[in-house]
Amino acid sequence: QKEVEQNSGPLSVPEGAIASLNCTYSDRVSQSFFWYRQYSGKSPELIMSIYSNGDKEDGRFTAQLNKASQYVSLLIRDSQPSDSATYLCAFLSGGSYIPTFGRGTSLIVHP
Amino acid sequence: GAGVSQTPSNKVTEKGKYVELRCDPISGHTALYWYRQSLGQGPEFLIYFQGTGAADDSGLPNDRFFAVRPEGSVSTLKIQRTERGDSAVYLCASSLGQAGNTIYFGEGSWLTVV
């Protein structure tokens, strides 16, 4: 069974700090990885996708993928209170069409 | 449309009643998904359509749940004899239908069974 593990949190960081969110997955043939942000009472929205080992940067967000360790992370630099949300990690196995989601990590950025 | 549209946004129904939830995917997206999300949990897969056919319905919890997509666009999730445990947010998503594609979610239908 494919699984995604995320610490449910909450992770609390001060405004301006770096928030680090982590995710491990069980399926060794996973090929595509996604980070979604979900505000309370809203639906998940895509932040980043990553397919290759290494780092991928988009503005204040950096996704890091290590397939050998089955680990993907999301760094948020200069965290803002508006970043306070639940962050969902998801993956797709090679050739699959159905993403598997983790339970999400709650992030709180306090002023 | 610009995004995935779901109706109703909120539904309160009595235990034992029948419910239909509708999803209109992003124009041009051939793949459509239904997920269910309970409080404090991630989205849980229910069913996936590629075109008109259900390519994978392995996530449907039991035979009270059924979904259709007769013309390959709009989909309806149908729940018979609702139970209080069915209370959740039902999320619809769509994608271009190729392996590895990103899926985009609608705002969800909040179902409460009383």
Side-chain angles (χ1 to χ4, degrees), chain B residues 21-90:
Chain B
L21 306 175
R22 175 190 162 102
C23 173
D24 193 351
I26 293 171
S27 178
H29 281 194
T30 60
L32 185 145
Y33 307 76
W34 284 99
Y35 282 81
R36 178 170 70 175
Q37 187 174 27
S38 300
L39 193 64
Q41 301 297 315
E44 172 193 10
F45 169 71
L46 295 177
I47 187 169
Y48 156 65
F49 288 90
Q50 184 64 264
T52 60
D56 189 328
D57 65 357
S58 61
L60 294 177
N62 51 60
D63 61 5
R64 295 187 298 105
F65 289 76
F66 189 71
V68 296
R69 195 186 185 198
E71 298 179 356
S73 179
V74 171
S75 174
T76 304
L77 178 65
K78 308 181 181 193
I79 310 173
Q80 297 178 323
R81 305 183 303 281
T82 52
E83 300 177 357
R84 292 194 179 86
D86 298 334
S87 297
V89 179
Y90 289 81

Side-chain angles (χ1 to χ4, degrees), chain A residues 88-99:
Chain A
L88 298 163
C89 167
F91 74 89
L92 274 167
S93 294
S96 174
Y97 297 81
I98 302 169

